[in-house]
Amino acid sequence: MSHTTRVPHRRPAPDHSGAAGAAPAAPPPARRRPSSQQWAAWAFLTPVTLYLVLFYAYPLYRNIDLSLRNYTVRSFVQGDAPFTGLQNYRTVFDDPTFAPALLHTVVFTAVCLVFQYAIGLALAVFFNQHFRLSATLRALFLVPWLLPLIVSASTWSWMLNSDSGIVNAVLHAVGVDPVNWLTSPSWSLISVIIANIWIGVPFNLVVLYSGLQSIPAGLYEAAALDGAGPWRRFWSITFPLLRPVSAITLLLGLVYTLKVFDIIWIMTKGGPAESSTTFATWSYQLGFGNLLPAFGPGAAVGNLLVVAALVFGLVYARVQRKQALS
């Protein structure tokens, strides 16, 4: 019988934390250096970020600062304007011009959007037929959009002139009394609305026409075989499939129309008797149209326009998200 010698089992020494047999700690992972693709991405993002900061974020910050301080010409130069909080906004809300300017802004924006979209959609459907001279006529319809706004506004001012305008000349030729388009409180807002609709129709035409090009022609052929007429095909195929394009068209048109200043200022300067004053022209009048400019209230009115555009933008984003989820 052989005797085996039992080797005593050695217990591992506890580490400093008291745990027995703990494995040695792994070395920390080496820090990865950014790859060339990451450096390229940052290189492309830097100009865009600088542009947004310099031309969007900083002006917006300055405008908010203007609306929260009592700036005069002296303090505007020296930068020692006292902080007044929301006093400038209270001044704007208490001003008797606030209610008419708000009403004119809403009416001007809503009427322009409806007519620009309706006329642009009708022209887009018309040019989608691809008839002879279609491309030439579409190019001619872009002329109002390509002209400088000062040229368009001056042209409409001449056409709607009470004494020598071509519009009153045509009305007189058909036996209608002349209309004081630019000098009558009843017609001044209508005049600038007509001019702005004429300027905005080409944009709606171009965007909606591009949306029509993305609709498959087979859908129309199948609907025609099923006996659907032109109106039925429009309401069942064209209009529903154009909803995403229509949404972005209306949103961009809304943002642009809210801030329209050139057309109104050149044609009527917001008058007569503030009958065509909107928030855009009122903000300019407060800040630069008087001998004693009110920079704070003018900036407050401008911020109201920014908030309105931001609200509609958020509503559009929410609607788009719901449509994507559904």
Side-chain angles (χ1 to χ4, degrees):
M1 184 176 181
S2 61
H3 298 277
T4 60
T5 305
R6 179 176 296 179
V7 179
H9 179 67
R10 297 182 60 185
R11 298 179 60 185
D15 58 3
H16 296 288
S17 61
R31 181 178 298 178
R32 294 181 58 187
R33 294 183 177 181
S35 62
S36 58
Q37 294 181 349
Q38 291 176 330
W39 282 116
W42 281 111
F44 280 108
L45 285 175
T46 301
V48 178
T49 304
L50 291 176
Y51 175 80
L52 292 176
V53 171
L54 292 177
F55 296 102
Y56 285 88
Y58 180 72
L60 181 60
Y61 161 74
R62 289 293 299 155
N63 203 59
I64 295 175
D65 181 70
L66 278 174
S67 67
L68 299 178
R69 297 180 181 274
N70 183 21
Y71 273 97
T72 60
V73 176
R74 175 180 173 276
S75 60
F76 188 82
V77 175
Q78 297 182 355
D80 56 349
F83 181 80
T84 58
L86 299 178
Q87 182 60 41
N88 289 322
Y89 292 92
R90 298 190 189 99
T91 302
V92 168
F93 291 142
D94 295 337
D95 196 299
T97 308
F98 176 79
L102 175 61
L103 177 62
H104 298 158
T105 302
V106 173
V107 172
F108 179 83
T109 304
V111 175
C112 287
L113 280 181
V114 171
F115 279 92
Q116 286 175 353
Y117 176 79
I119 298 174
L121 180 59
L123 291 174
V125 174
F126 174 71
F127 286 120
N128 197 38
Q129 306 302 317
H130 301 292
F131 55 90
R132 181 178 294 182
L133 298 180
S134 173
T136 304
L137 292 177
R138 276 189 285 116
L140 291 177
F141 268 100
L142 293 179
V143 171
W145 192 31
L146 299 177
L147 287 176
L149 290 178
I150 188 172
V151 175
S152 301
S154 300
T155 302
W156 275 100
S157 296
W158 169 75
M159 293 173 58
L160 298 177
N161 186 274
S162 301
D163 300 324
S164 59
I166 189 174
V167 175
N168 276 348
V170 173
L171 293 178
H172 179 72
V174 297
V176 179
D177 294 334
V179 177
N180 296 323
W181 295 98
L182 304 177
T183 58
S184 172
S186 303
W187 288 98
S188 60
L189 184 61
I190 298 176
S191 302
V192 295
I193 287 175
I194 293 174
N196 192 67
I197 290 174
W198 180 79
I199 294 172
V201 164
F203 171 76
N204 288 260
L205 167 61
V206 170
V207 178
L208 294 174
Y209 180 81
S210 64
L212 288 175
Q213 300 302 300
S214 64
I215 299 178
L219 296 177
Y220 294 104
E221 296 175 359
L225 292 176
D226 291 338
W231 280 105
R232 185 62 179 176
R233 293 197 297 268
F234 174 80
W235 291 110
S236 299
I237 299 176
T238 304
F239 194 72
L241 294 181
L242 273 182
R243 284 179 182 173
V245 180
S246 299
I248 190 62
T249 303
L250 291 173
L251 176 64
L252 294 176
L254 172 68
V255 174
Y256 167 80
T257 310
L258 278 174
K259 64 182 184 64
V260 167
F261 165 78
D262 315 69
I263 303 299
I264 302 176
W265 189 257
I266 294 173
M267 294 180 64
T268 65
K269 288 185 171 56
E274 299 180 348
S275 58
S276 59
T277 297
T278 62
F279 275 178
T281 59
W282 188 31
S283 177
Y284 179 83
Q285 287 175 338
L286 290 173
F288 304 98
N290 301 314
L291 293 177
L292 296 177
F295 294 115
V301 176
N303 287 333
L304 294 179
L305 286 176
V306 173
V307 171
L310 180 62
V311 168
F312 283 107
L314 293 176
V315 171
Y316 167 77
R318 184 176 181 86
V319 171
Q320 288 294 98
R321 188 181 299 111
K322 286 185 177 181
Q323 291 180 354
L325 293 177
S326 61

